[in-house]
């Protein structure tokens, strides 16, 4: 059974790595086409800002005040490599009126910064096949999502902790609605299957809002975002993440760079510690590749 779980998770890891490599190797000529149906602009796959497991490239410095691990409070770091690839425009011919399918993948690594060895605490892998329907300034995302988690070897050896074979496949949906210029709200939910541990419960709901003062001439735009996730497996205990920062759009269509601070409180976003509460503050750099 352990071998089957190991093989299952590593197949998922391979798929995520393949998705990220494909995103890095797309021909430049595709980006130069005007409204291509195959591999269109990155802007066809939008994302919410404050979800701590959206597929982006990031580097965070984390001050943990309530820890979910045996390390206790202290200084940690998180790094991630992620990408989103719009694959095909099924309907429509513009980003404002279209239905697109894509692939997304990312890996998140959490490290203890106060140790000279920079102990790896855990890694989380995510892979998604989203369908996104655009209607003007609003968009609606639904599709398949996989997540799995792995305990860091250094952490397991230091504390003699047993690994949790955490993994799940999820069917999810989310609606993102622009209520006013610069102000959007969103909400949705998911149902999990192929869950591990077996007793894991299935349903979750997510909501939040985003506020941004977009500068017409470019430069840095201030923004704020709040994300709330409630999971049946955690007794509907809310996972709250508040993010504020500056956003720069000059990287290309659908691509941006963010400098942000966060406050997180609730069940840990790390899959290996999904049943533990944590509180932390972060300062980070986020890049939408």
């Amino acid at each position: 059974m352990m071998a089957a779980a190991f093989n299952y998770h590593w197949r998922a890891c391979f798929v995520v790595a393949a998705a990220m490599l494909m995103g890095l190797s797309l021909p430049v000529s595709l980006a130069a086409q005007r409204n291509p149906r195959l591999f269109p602009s990155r802007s066809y796959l939008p994302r919410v800002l404050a979800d701590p497991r959206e597929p982006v490239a990031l580097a965070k410095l984390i001050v943990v005040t309530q820890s979910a691990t045996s390390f206790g409070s202290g200084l940690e770091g998180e790094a991630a490599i992620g990408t989103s690839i719009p694959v095909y425009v099924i309907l429509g011919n513009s980003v404002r009126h279209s239905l697109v399918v894509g692939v997304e993948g990312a890996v998140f690594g959490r490290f203890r910064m106060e140790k000279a060895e920079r102990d790896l605490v855990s890694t989380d892998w995510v892979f998604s096949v989203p369908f996104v329907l655009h209607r003007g300034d609003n968009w609606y995302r639904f599709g398949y999502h996989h997540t799995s988690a792995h305990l860091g070897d250094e952490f397991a050896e230091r504390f003699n902790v047993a690994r949790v074979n955490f993994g799940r496949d999820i069917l999810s949906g989310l609606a993102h609605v622009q209520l006013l210029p610069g102000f959007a709200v969103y909400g949705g939910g998911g149902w999990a299957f192929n869950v591990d541990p077996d007793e894991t419960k299935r349903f979750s709901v997510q909501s939040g809002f985003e506020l941004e003062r977009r500068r017409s001439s470019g430069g840095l735009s201030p923004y704020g975002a709040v994300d709330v996730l409630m999971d049946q497996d955690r007794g509907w205990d809310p996972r709250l993440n508040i993010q504020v920062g500056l956003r720069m759009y000059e990287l290309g269509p659908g691509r941006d760079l963010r400098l942000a601070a966060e406050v997180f409180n609730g069940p840990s976003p790390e899959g290996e510690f999904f049943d533990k509460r944590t509180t932390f503050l972060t300062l980070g750099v986020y890049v939408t590749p």
Side-chain angles (χ1 to χ4, degrees):
M1 182 175 180
M2 288 183 63
F6 178 84
N7 291 332
Y8 173 75
H9 286 144
W10 277 102
R11 284 197 300 270
C13 295
F14 174 79
V15 172
V16 172
M20 290 189 288
L21 287 174
M22 186 168 67
L24 294 173
S25 61
L26 289 179
V28 177
S29 59
L30 287 174
Q33 298 178 27
R34 181 176 179 81
N35 296 326
R37 302 194 75 84
L38 183 65
F39 299 122
S41 162
R42 169 63 190 79
S43 55
Y44 277 83
L45 285 187
R47 60 169 55 95
V48 299
L49 298 176
D51 187 332
R53 286 298 180 260
E54 285 281 292
V56 297
L58 63 83
K60 292 181 181 179
L61 190 63
I62 302 171
V63 179
V64 180
T65 59
Q66 177 187 354
S67 179
T69 76
S70 302
F71 271 123
S73 60
L75 190 63
E76 297 183 351
E78 185 169 272
I81 300 174
T83 190
S84 298
I85 308 166
V87 175
Y88 189 74
V89 179
I90 301 170
L91 298 171
N93 56 11
S94 76
V95 71
R96 291 177 58 81
H97 297 282
S98 61
L99 173 64
V100 64
V101 61
V103 293
E104 299 179 326
V107 57
F108 299 81
R110 180 71 73 91
F111 302 87
R112 187 68 173 187
M113 301 298 289
E114 293 177 346
K115 301 293 181 181
E117 299 86 353
R118 299 290 188 261
D119 288 356
L120 174 63
V121 179
S122 69
T123 56
D124 290 276
W125 296 78
V126 297
F127 172 73
S128 302
V129 180
F131 291 80
V132 180
L133 176 67
H134 293 267
R135 285 294 178 264
D137 293 326
N138 305 324
W139 52 269
Y140 310 88
R141 182 176 69 192
F142 53 96
Y144 163 81
H145 179 82
H146 169 83
T147 181
S148 62
H150 308 274
L151 196 66
D153 290 339
E154 298 92 341
F155 181 87
E157 293 169 2
R158 182 182 294 274
F159 296 106
N160 193 25
V161 177
R163 291 173 168 83
V164 175
N165 290 323
F166 179 87
R168 58 183 59 190
D169 298 307
I170 304 168
L171 298 178
S172 64
L174 185 141
H176 188 280
V177 179
Q178 197 83 23
L179 292 182
L180 297 168
F183 179 69
V185 298
Y186 61 86
W191 176 77
F193 61 102
N194 285 342
V195 296
D196 199 357
D198 293 336
E199 65 273 15
T200 303
K201 296 178 181 179
R202 308 302 180 99
F203 293 97
S204 62
V205 294
Q206 184 179 15
S207 62
F209 68 86
E210 298 168 348
L211 179 64
E212 181 172 17
R213 184 181 178 184
R214 182 78 179 266
R215 298 182 184 278
S216 59
S217 59
L220 295 174
S221 300
Y223 76 93
V226 174
D227 182 77
V228 180
L229 177 71
M230 294 187 294
D231 194 307
Q232 184 186 16
D233 197 50
R234 300 165 177 86
W236 305 110
D237 186 13
R239 185 194 76 184
L240 173 67
N241 195 44
I242 303 171
Q243 185 179 117
V244 294
L246 297 171
R247 195 175 183 188
M248 183 171 64
Y249 290 89
E250 277 76 5
L251 301 185
R255 304 175 189 274
D256 59 52
L257 181 147
R258 286 178 279 148
L259 307 174
E262 286 181 323
V263 178
F264 181 98
N265 182 69
S268 175
E270 298 172 81
E272 282 288 328
F273 311 102
F274 71 96
D275 57 347
K276 306 290 194 305
R277 288 184 58 84
T278 183
T279 303
F280 54 79
L281 311 174
T282 76
L283 184 63
V285 179
Y286 306 75
V287 180
T288 302

